[in-house]
Amino acid sequence: MREAATQANKPARGRTGNRLVAALVAVLTVVGLTGVVAGQATARIGGTQVGKQEFFINGCGMPDVKVRAWKRPGNYKTVILLDGMRAQYDYSGWEINTNVQEMVKSGVNVVEPIGGPASFYTDWDAPSNFNGQKYRYRWNCAITRSLVGALDKRGFRVGPSNRYAIMGLSMGGNAALVIGAQNRQHFDRAGSLSGYNFLSAPGMRTALRLAMFDVDPKPWNIDAMWGPPWSIRWFQNDPFWNIGNMRGMKLFVGSGNGLFGRYNALPNVFDDLFKGSTLELLAFTQSKAFEAAAFVQGVPLMTYYANGTHAWGYWQDMVWNAKNRGFFR
């Protein structure tokens, strides 16, 4: 299997004064960071059959990656949707738990790469030695090279800008922002839904380490991803330190606030309270920190905040909210 080499991008350089002010604002915003765990969802495969297709792409040294997509002639945009930390290998959580594939009927093609639990959709330094992983993750390569190339050949690159949108939830949210910012030739808009948008904030590495201990096949070794806490790769893959590369992009940042909303009900109240609320409060503080830093650096955002926990119904609402407000136009 072909192994493609990638070179990590350096964080964007900006004015020292702006960076210091942004960091101070963000640190003051991010409080009460705690260990996190990922919530569960109820499977309900179904939805539209319009333009549905399935294919496999080269995994850049990983096993080939399955992709499911929905495409209709005349649509004006294509969005790549990234999954969360408990991503499965049969279907994307987006297809299992939401109706966002229906956007294909009203202008937006939908693409869902499948797999990559606890991967953060990045190129890891090494295989995870804690759980005996046989290969190292190369998700950045798979998305920016293999997937984009496959989509181009299948006619998914549409619209006036001739570039893609990319969005993700949870771990896929911060990944979408970084992938978009560092690959502007392919992406002109990116969205983070309940994502970790300030990974270098105090306590975040410990929080993510604890979260990855609980994802099957567990436990994952976070040090195999971007190296030790002092590694430059932590900053290269932090949306906060990539804001300078996002000028001119359309950006969407959404999060619940950890409070119960319309999708919290029996029999999931226990998990929603002790898992979903904690995780979403973390995402909320991270989103607010990112928003503050973007404001300081003069980068506009489209934002969405509402009552809600770390659950699929709220992410579905965020995607439709983005579409209805013209994010994909």
Side-chain angles (χ1 to χ4, degrees):
M1 185 173 297
R2 181 171 58 87
E3 179 87 8
T6 59
Q7 182 177 0
N9 293 318
K10 295 181 179 180
R13 295 178 180 175
R15 297 178 181 176
T16 302
N18 279 356
R19 285 291 175 80
L20 291 176
V21 173
L24 178 60
V25 171
V27 168
L28 292 174
T29 304
V30 179
V31 294
L33 296 178
T34 58
V36 296
V37 290
Q40 300 285 342
T42 302
R44 52 179 181 85
I45 293 289
T48 184
Q49 302 297 305
V50 174
K52 185 170 72 174
Q53 52 186 282
E54 180 177 303
F55 54 92
F56 287 81
I57 60 172
N58 187 288
C60 297
M62 305 184 299
D64 288 351
V65 174
K66 182 166 74 171
V67 179
R68 286 169 68 83
W70 292 258
K71 176 176 176 285
R72 193 181 72 162
N75 280 358
Y76 56 81
K77 199 67 178 178
T78 296
V79 60
I80 298 170
L81 293 176
L82 304 181
D83 211 333
M85 197 172 290
R86 295 183 187 272
Q88 302 176 194
Y89 285 98
D90 49 358
Y91 297 95
S92 167
W94 287 108
E95 184 176 1
I96 296 172
N97 301 291
T98 79
N99 65 3
V100 298
Q101 295 76 217
E102 300 287 337
M103 290 193 300
V104 72
K105 299 176 181 177
S106 56
V108 180
N109 302 322
V110 178
V111 177
E112 298 171 0
I114 297 170
S119 68
F120 282 78
Y121 294 103
T122 188
D123 292 346
W124 284 40
D125 285 353
S128 173
N129 56 324
F130 286 2
N131 59 356
Q133 189 181 24
K134 302 298 184 184
Y135 52 86
R136 72 180 178 110
Y137 274 140
R138 294 295 306 278
W139 273 98
N140 185 288
C141 174
I143 291 169
T144 62
R145 298 190 181 191
S146 301
L147 180 57
V148 166
L151 294 177
D152 287 352
K153 291 178 181 177
R154 289 169 170 80
F156 279 84
R157 192 184 281 262
V158 298
S161 73
N162 204 32
R163 286 179 285 176
Y164 297 100
I166 185 167
M167 301 182 82
L169 69 101
S170 195
M171 75 167 188
N174 47 278
L177 292 179
V178 171
I179 289 172
Q182 296 180 356
N183 296 275
R184 298 289 295 274
Q185 72 276 26
H186 299 313
F187 302 98
D188 66 347
R189 60 205 69 198
S192 174
L193 317 178
S194 304
Y196 311 116
N197 302 330
F198 186 19
L199 292 170
S200 54
M204 272 305 296
R205 294 182 184 87
T206 299
L208 297 183
R209 183 185 301 276
L210 295 175
M212 291 169 70
F213 278 161
D214 192 50
V215 177
D216 289 328
K218 55 192 172 189
W220 295 89
N221 180 9
I222 197 172
D223 295 323
M225 184 166 68
W226 296 322
W230 52 87
S231 169
I232 187 62
R233 295 204 68 210
W234 276 93
F235 297 94
Q236 291 170 338
N237 288 281
D238 187 345
F240 183 91
W241 294 106
N242 278 271
I243 291 174
N245 288 330
M246 299 179 192
R247 286 188 174 87
M249 297 182 71
K250 270 192 173 181
L251 301 172
F252 183 94
V253 173
S255 175
N257 55 15
L259 301 178
F260 276 23
R262 60 184 295 196
Y263 298 108
N264 300 107
L266 293 172
N268 298 317
V269 168
F270 183 85
D271 279 350
D272 287 349
L273 178 60
F274 291 100
K275 296 180 180 181
S277 289
T278 301
L279 191 56
E280 197 64 9
L281 179 59
L282 175 64
F284 179 78
T285 60
Q286 290 269 299
S287 296
K288 284 295 187 179
F290 181 83
E291 182 182 356
F295 174 79
V296 169
Q297 297 188 50
V299 177
L301 304 179
M302 183 181 292
T303 59
Y304 175 90
Y305 299 108
N307 286 349
T309 60
H310 215 64
W312 281 100
Y314 302 110
W315 298 319
Q316 174 179 282
D317 284 355
M318 291 179 203
V319 173
W320 283 107
N321 177 270
K323 182 179 185 300
N324 293 337
R325 292 164 63 188
F327 178 73
F328 299 110
R329 285 286 185 181

